[in-house]
Amino acid sequence: MAGGVIPVPRDEARRLARSAIRGEFQPEALHAYTDENGEAIYWRIRARLADGGKWIRPMRRSGDTCELGEPEFPLGKPLYRLHELAGKPNAPCWYVEGENCADTLAKLGLLATTAGGATSDERADFRPLAGRAVTIWPDNDAAGIGHAERVAAKLRALGCAIERIDVRALGLPVGGDVVDWLRANPGATAANLTTVPRVREKTESRQEAPAAYRQERNEWPEPLNDAAFYGLVGEIVREIEPQTEADPAALLVQVLVAFGALVGRGPHVRVEGDEHHGNLFALLVGETAKARKGTSWGRVREVFSRAEDWPNVVTGLSSGEGLKWAVRDPIRRIERDKKTRNAVEVETDAGVRDKRLLVVEAEFAQVLRQAARAGNTLSATIRSAWDTGRLSTLTKNDTVTATGAHISIIGHITADELRAELTATDSANGFANRFLFKCARRSKVLAFGGQAIPKATVSRFAERIARAVGKARERGAVEFTDAARQTWATVYPTLSEGHPSLLGAVTARAEAQCLRMALVFALMDEAEAIDQPHLFAAIAVWERAEASARYIFGSALGDPVADDILRALRVAGSAGMTRTAIRDLFKRHQSAERIGAALELLRRRGFVKCDTRPADGGRPSEVWQCV
């Protein structure tokens, strides 16, 4: 097993540090890493002493003792801010000369690292950067440029996409670095750095980083296949795309959601006893303020809000009752007539006539937190909204119902928030797989923003959308053409096969999602039936949604205890872990039964195995290892 990074428990860090330092100290940066066999663990603790000094020292742990001195580093000298590199395995990175430069870029929200000074590259372990896009900013002197060339050579061998800042073109003094450039350019932001002159280098054969350096290193999804840009959908996106930093995939999926919301609950595809309508749920996943998620919706809204009969757009999902109230049926109750004393039915609320509702949540993490609260019916109500459009709760005190509801949802969230807030229950009960996940990031840099879409173009699109909506509302069940039937029969077995682990849970409705998107493509095309191009377009959109889910969730099982155990076993390598060590991993906050169930899940999925090893003078111990 390759070496890797693991977090250092703070109490263990304090114990190790106190065995080497006398006096008060405050740990600043803690991390640990293993050797190639996954056995020897080195703890590197950076501490600020009470007298203002700093102490940085590697230590080797052996059982409950630690050895100081100068231990060997089988992985080489660890890169600065290694814990951050391990936590963002797919993110672009800046490589600079010196920790001060790395810290300065980090304050701008950038991922930055260093091996130290100009002669520090000999012992450094650059494998955590394997496969990344890396921008190298050397110091403006011969030593710094030579250092950058040596680092670039090592990164090329790791398959990195490398750019080097042309420091000689910046007019910096001899020895000037990124900190000096920022001082000379007050007010500069991360975006300003994209305009700094640079040289792009060729990339050699790709090499993956060691598994323990990454969280199941999954690739950023490929761009949408051209088949997705079919018909009016593609025309709208291609008109908007040159004038925005938004991701084309984010634009396209929101066009589909917006049109499906506009049409309403009329046209549908029937599958046995179920009806699939054009209401879609989409979740855009990208970095806060960097992925241009809000920008993408603003551009789509600019086109669709000009269409007649635009549905109600709301935000603030917090409860199932609130969502149901927004599309409620008339409320009636039985009262006694004051004159005749007879029981009569009285309408106390007129209800909502237009059952179309588009929910746009820029902070979808808050929605997930609300849905996870005990007694909250939001998750169940959202699932019913996707399935049947009939929302009701069989309780005495809640007599509100909604029938024929046509609810569409657009949510924005970061990948970290999604992984943290999406509970195992949400993935198991089918909440997550009703959403189309779309990874989104900035597609280009437009310092002054893109141009507005010409009013004539917007009006032309609005007219075509209105015409397509009018024809769509005349339809009920929409059939397949013969060619589309043959295509569907070919792709259906693959779509319905599914995947293991959490990825399988969040993509389990692949075939239903494709049918709904194909329906929307056909309706926007004003077609009488779903044809091959509509299916091909829907499948292309789905393939990127599935790739996005794979990038977000990797091989996670969806069971937080099992996932934590698996990560720890990967780091432990051939040494494995005993039941006691696994129990201690959770600080005794998980019961033996819960840990046992998680281990059985891992073994059943083929991720781990269990061996019995003899013990001196006692009963054999149970040792768990990754397969």
Side-chain angles (χ1 to χ4, degrees):
M1 173 180 174
V5 179
I6 59 174
V8 180
R10 187 164 293 273
D11 57 349
E12 178 71 359
R14 289 181 179 278
R15 186 187 67 79
L16 287 172
R18 281 188 174 131
S19 68
I21 308 174
R22 297 181 181 275
E24 295 297 323
F25 66 97
Q26 296 176 336
E28 288 185 342
L30 316 173
H31 64 261
Y33 57 99
T34 67
D35 65 12
E36 290 289 348
N37 298 318
E39 295 176 353
I41 297 180
Y42 295 86
W43 306 75
R44 187 169 184 266
I45 301 176
R46 175 178 175 176
R48 184 181 298 275
L49 304 182
D51 61 3
K54 289 188 177 180
W55 180 85
I56 304 176
R57 194 66 176 271
M59 296 176 288
R60 177 171 183 167
R61 189 182 70 172
S62 176
D64 292 330
T65 63
C66 63
E67 303 171 4
L68 294 176
E70 295 293 333
E72 296 178 359
F73 287 88
L75 293 181
K77 180 182 177 181
L79 294 175
Y80 185 53
R81 306 179 82 97
L82 181 58
H83 57 293
E84 295 179 14
L85 296 177
K88 297 180 178 179
N90 300 289
C93 180
W94 289 73
Y95 182 88
V96 291
E97 190 175 323
E99 296 178 0
N100 184 37
C101 292
D103 291 339
T104 300
L105 291 181
K107 291 177 182 177
L108 296 179
L110 299 170
L111 186 64
T113 189
T114 183
T119 60
S120 61
D121 53 275
E122 295 181 2
R123 287 201 307 142
D125 178 16
F126 290 97
R127 283 177 296 175
L129 300 179
R132 295 181 192 251
V134 182
T135 302
I136 303 174
W137 188 314
D139 288 358
N140 187 28
D141 53 31
I145 293 173
H147 173 57
E149 290 175 352
R150 294 190 299 273
V151 170
K154 295 186 177 184
L155 295 181
R156 279 196 299 271
L158 292 172
C160 295
I162 306 166
E163 290 184 339
R164 271 197 282 175
I165 298 299
D166 188 359
V167 291
R168 289 170 175 164
L170 297 181
L172 292 174
V174 175
D177 55 22
V178 62
V179 176
D180 296 314
W181 186 87
L182 289 169
R183 288 197 190 108
N185 294 271
T189 65
N192 298 127
L193 295 179
T194 61
T195 64
V196 176
R198 63 192 65 206
V199 178
R200 178 170 294 181
E201 302 194 4
K202 293 182 179 180
T203 301
E204 296 180 2
S205 58
R206 183 178 181 82
Q207 177 177 334
E208 287 291 347
Y213 274 129
R214 49 194 167 89
Q215 300 168 341
E216 290 303 311
R217 188 183 183 86
N218 299 294
E219 299 300 328
W220 182 266
E222 293 290 330
L224 276 170
N225 188 292
D226 287 343
F229 298 91
Y230 178 79
L232 180 56
V233 180
E235 291 180 41
I236 294 173
V237 174
R238 293 198 187 282
E239 182 69 34
I240 297 173
E241 192 275 332
Q243 302 299 334
T244 180
E245 294 183 337
D247 194 313
L251 294 170
L252 189 140
V253 75
Q254 289 176 118
V255 168
L256 294 175
V257 175
F259 185 84
L262 184 58
V263 168
R265 202 172 188 82
H268 60 273
V269 178
R270 179 173 288 277
V271 179
E272 297 188 10
D274 297 326
E275 294 181 358
H276 289 285
H277 296 260
N279 59 313
L280 299 169
F281 296 172
L283 201 53
L284 305 187
V285 185
E287 292 186 29
T288 299
K290 301 295 183 184
R292 302 302 186 260
K293 301 186 292 291
T295 300
S296 66
W297 169 241
R299 285 294 196 170
V300 173
R301 183 185 58 214
E302 181 182 359
V303 174
F304 277 85
S305 62
R306 294 284 299 275
E308 295 182 3
D309 198 25
W310 182 235
N312 190 21
V313 180
V314 300
T315 189
L317 285 179
S318 60
S319 68
E321 292 76 15
L323 180 58
K324 184 171 54 176
W325 182 260
V327 288
R328 65 192 180 279
D329 292 340
I331 300 174
R332 298 180 177 88
R333 67 180 183 183
I334 304 298
E335 294 184 356
R336 190 172 298 280
D337 187 271
K338 294 181 179 180
K339 294 182 179 180
T340 65
R341 308 302 295 172
N342 294 329
V344 295
E345 186 178 66
V346 178
E347 184 178 282
T348 61
D349 187 279
V352 177
R353 297 187 62 182
D354 188 351
K355 297 304 184 75
R356 298 171 307 147
L357 187 70
L358 176 56
V359 182
V360 180
E361 289 290 349
E363 299 292 340
F364 200 78
Q366 181 62 30
V367 176
L368 293 177
R369 295 187 193 106
Q370 293 289 345
R373 292 172 52 193
N376 194 305
T377 61
L378 183 57
S379 175
T381 305
I382 288 176
R383 282 180 277 136
S384 296
W386 193 89
D387 293 344
T388 64
R390 177 177 176 80
L391 316 181
S392 63
T393 307
L394 295 178
T395 62
K396 178 180 179 181
N397 297 324
D398 184 8
T399 59
V400 177
T401 61
T403 54
H406 188 77
I407 297 174
S408 305
I409 300 176
I410 294 173
H412 300 167
I413 195 171
T414 69
D416 290 338
E417 287 174 330
L418 182 57
R419 283 187 289 258
E421 301 296 343
L422 189 67
T423 65
T425 301
D426 287 333
S427 59
N429 66 14
F431 174 87
N433 57 40
R434 287 169 171 84
F435 284 83
L436 293 164
F437 296 99
K438 286 291 177 182
C439 287
R441 62 183 176 188
R442 186 167 65 181
S443 62
K444 65 182 72 66
V445 177
L446 299 175
F448 300 100
Q451 298 294 321
I453 304 173
K455 291 183 178 180
T457 303
V458 174
S459 297
R460 187 177 73 252
F461 282 142
E463 290 173 3
R464 294 180 62 183
I465 290 169
R467 188 171 66 245
V469 169
K471 291 186 177 181
R473 289 177 179 171
E474 297 173 357
R475 300 194 177 103
V478 179
E479 303 293 338
F480 284 75
T481 64
D482 291 340
R485 282 184 171 276
Q486 294 177 4
T487 299
W488 185 247
T490 301
V491 301
Y492 179 79
T494 301
L495 289 173
S496 59
E497 183 177 356
H499 301 281
S501 306
L502 182 55
L503 175 62
V506 301
T507 59
R509 281 181 166 78
E511 57 271 45
Q513 296 282 17
C514 284
L515 283 177
R516 292 189 176 211
M517 288 189 289
L519 172 65
V520 175
F521 273 106
L523 296 176
M524 289 193 75
D525 202 27
E526 301 180 41
E528 296 293 332
I530 296 174
D531 204 356
Q532 273 185 322
H534 308 135
L535 274 178
F536 290 149
I539 292 169
V541 178
W542 171 254
E543 285 176 344
R544 195 180 188 284
E546 185 178 279
S548 295
R550 182 178 289 108
Y551 174 83
I552 296 164
F553 299 108
S555 62
L557 295 167
D559 181 323
V561 175
D563 286 332
D564 286 345
I565 293 174
L566 184 58
R567 280 192 289 269
L569 290 176
R570 282 173 175 159
V571 171
S574 60
M577 296 178 69
T578 64
R579 281 266 189 165
T580 301
I582 293 172
R583 178 200 63 192
D584 293 343
L585 183 69
F586 299 97
K587 306 292 184 184
R588 300 178 183 268
H589 292 317
Q590 296 292 345
S591 67
E593 291 77 12
R594 181 70 179 89
I595 292 173
L599 287 170
E600 183 57 33
L601 172 63
L602 290 169
R603 177 157 54 182
R604 191 167 62 249
R605 294 285 177 86
F607 288 109
V608 303
K609 65 179 181 179
C610 181
D611 293 329
T612 302
R613 298 181 184 177
D616 296 336
R619 62 181 183 180
S621 59
E622 185 181 276
V623 179
W624 292 81
Q625 294 175 289
C626 280
V627 174

